[in-house]
Amino acid sequence: MSLLTRSLKALGLPLLFALLWWLPAGPAQAAVSCTATMTNLAFGTVELVNGGTPTPATATLNYTCTNDGNATENARVCFNIGDGNEGLGNFNPRVMETTAGTQLRFQLYQATGGTIWGSNGNAQVPNPFVATMSIPRRTTAGGLGRVTGSATMRGELLPLQGTVPPGSYQDNFVGDHTSITLSRSTSGMPATCDTIQPGRFAFLVTATVAKSCLVTADPLNFGTVNGLPGQADRDQTSTINVTCTTPTPYTVALTPSNGATTGAGTMTPTGGVPGNADTVPYRLYRNAARTNVWGSVTGTNTVAGTGNGAAQALTLYGRVLGASANVRPDSYRDVVTVSVTY
């Protein structure tokens, strides 16, 4: 009874199994049988911190149905898929797991459409892949009538899983996590698939979540500065947003266009005043008191953190020294490179 209980949980076929258990022996009939194989579905290495949806992956079901009778048989064949060894009863969505038990959500679909590939009797995912066919009678030489076919299964990772830790994930659809059921008739196409076939079509779903980081930065705008000498320092702030996988350590380095490693840059004219060669020096800092420079020497003047899958806001403190205000009126700018090492 333990095997029966597991089959009910994995595929959601309680009515089907109960009926089969009590079916009385009947007269010998022509044997129509089907076998199938499924290729593994591999998402490969994926990055999740950008909030998008990785490229779908596909697998192929190949099946063969035979007829050893003396009349053509019409068959409806259902290829049922359950939750997988690591699925833990999750069908919508299904889940992969690492050996540590962290989960990655995904779903399996039939071909290019939106129909989830499920199983007969499963309230969450009730639609197996169904193939209908007319299988010719056996040949005069004794060979079996035969029909072969294939179907595409599409797998998609769910979006917004940036908090999922890096690692290798899988869900193994082995044993009673797949099944083939069919019904046959010589007069018309059956409306259901009731008879369980002995074959399975085991397959593996895998994905590797990579360590990754995404960084965005707001402009650091000092605004309009009085050009007269002796002005006070002009201070402004900006925000750098870093999103890294959990729990990925990272460091953020800033490098002005002059290549300085100490956060000391120079803004140059944008061309509004012909012949203007003046420059406006500025400094970048890690703290509001502007005592700790933000540069690009790892372990000395960079900013470190640990990713949690969400955007982490880092405040950048900038300063234009008042003594440098004695320049020609113009618009000045520089480009700072933000580098994230992880």
Side-chain angles (χ1 to χ4, degrees):
M1 291 300 290
S2 61
L3 177 60
L4 177 60
T5 301
R6 178 56 185 156
S7 298
L8 297 179
K9 175 183 180 298
L11 289 177
L13 295 171
L15 179 59
L16 176 61
F17 275 91
L19 289 173
L20 289 173
W21 187 265
W22 295 106
L23 280 177
Q29 294 181 332
V32 172
S33 62
C34 294
T35 60
T37 60
M38 179 79 82
T39 60
N40 292 332
L41 190 146
F43 288 98
T45 300
V46 297
E47 296 186 358
L48 302 178
V49 297
N50 62 2
T53 303
T55 302
T58 59
T60 301
L61 175 78
N62 293 291
Y63 57 87
T64 299
C65 295
T66 59
N67 174 18
D68 72 351
N70 293 321
T72 296
E73 294 279 353
N74 298 312
R76 178 179 295 271
V77 187
C78 293
F79 299 89
N80 304 282
I81 297 178
D83 57 346
N85 271 356
E86 290 74 26
L88 304 175
N90 291 280
F91 296 95
N92 191 18
R94 292 174 165 108
V95 298
M96 288 179 269
E97 282 194 339
T98 63
T99 54
T102 55
Q103 295 185 345
L104 179 65
R105 293 169 293 159
F106 73 101
Q107 192 51 275
L108 302 174
Y109 297 92
Q110 299 180 30
T112 59
T115 301
I116 297 174
W117 194 323
S119 59
N120 280 327
N122 188 319
Q124 296 185 58
V125 286
N127 298 308
F129 170 71
V130 178
T132 57
M133 64 195 74
S134 293
I135 311 173
R137 56 174 290 177
R138 65 188 303 166
T139 66
T140 55
L144 298 178
R146 186 181 305 271
V147 170
T148 62
S150 63
T152 298
M153 181 176 68
R154 186 181 85 258
E156 292 187 2
L157 296 178
L158 270 64
L160 304 177
Q161 296 192 81
T163 58
V164 172
S168 297
Y169 292 77
Q170 74 167 34
D171 194 9
N172 193 1
F173 291 81
V174 68
D176 57 5
H177 295 288
T178 67
S179 72
I180 305 172
T181 57
L182 66 83
S183 291
R184 47 163 289 279
S185 172
T186 57
S187 58
M189 187 61 64
T192 60
C193 315
D194 295 332
T195 303
I196 293 181
Q197 299 291 284
R200 310 285 185 176
F201 50 99
F203 62 94
L204 189 65
V205 179
T206 59
T208 299
V209 177
K211 290 183 178 180
S212 58
C213 290
L214 176 71
V215 61
T216 62
D218 297 331
L220 177 58
N221 188 352
F222 289 100
T224 301
V225 179
N226 194 324
L228 295 175
Q231 299 301 306
D233 296 339
R234 173 56 65 97
D235 292 341
Q236 291 293 343
T237 62
S238 178
T239 301
I240 297 173
N241 292 293
V242 181
T243 308
C244 291
T245 46
T246 306
T248 302
Y250 64 85
T251 57
V252 181
L254 302 182
T255 307
S257 63
N258 61 8
T261 62
T262 58
T266 301
M267 288 181 280
T268 57
T270 60
V273 178
N276 182 16
D278 291 346
T279 60
V280 178
Y282 64 91
R283 300 290 185 271
L284 304 175
Y285 299 91
R286 294 168 286 158
N287 64 330
R290 282 142 174 100
T291 55
N292 299 325
V293 299
W294 193 339
S296 57
V297 182
T298 301
T300 300
N301 58 18
T302 55
V303 172
T306 300
N308 61 5
Q312 297 176 327
L314 308 177
T315 301
L316 167 62
Y317 302 90
R319 169 169 288 176
V320 171
L321 299 177
S324 66
N326 190 19
V327 295
R328 276 178 274 193
D330 204 342
S331 294
Y332 298 81
R333 69 188 299 267
D334 192 29
V335 176
V336 177
T337 300
V338 183
S339 303
V340 179
T341 302
Y342 56 93

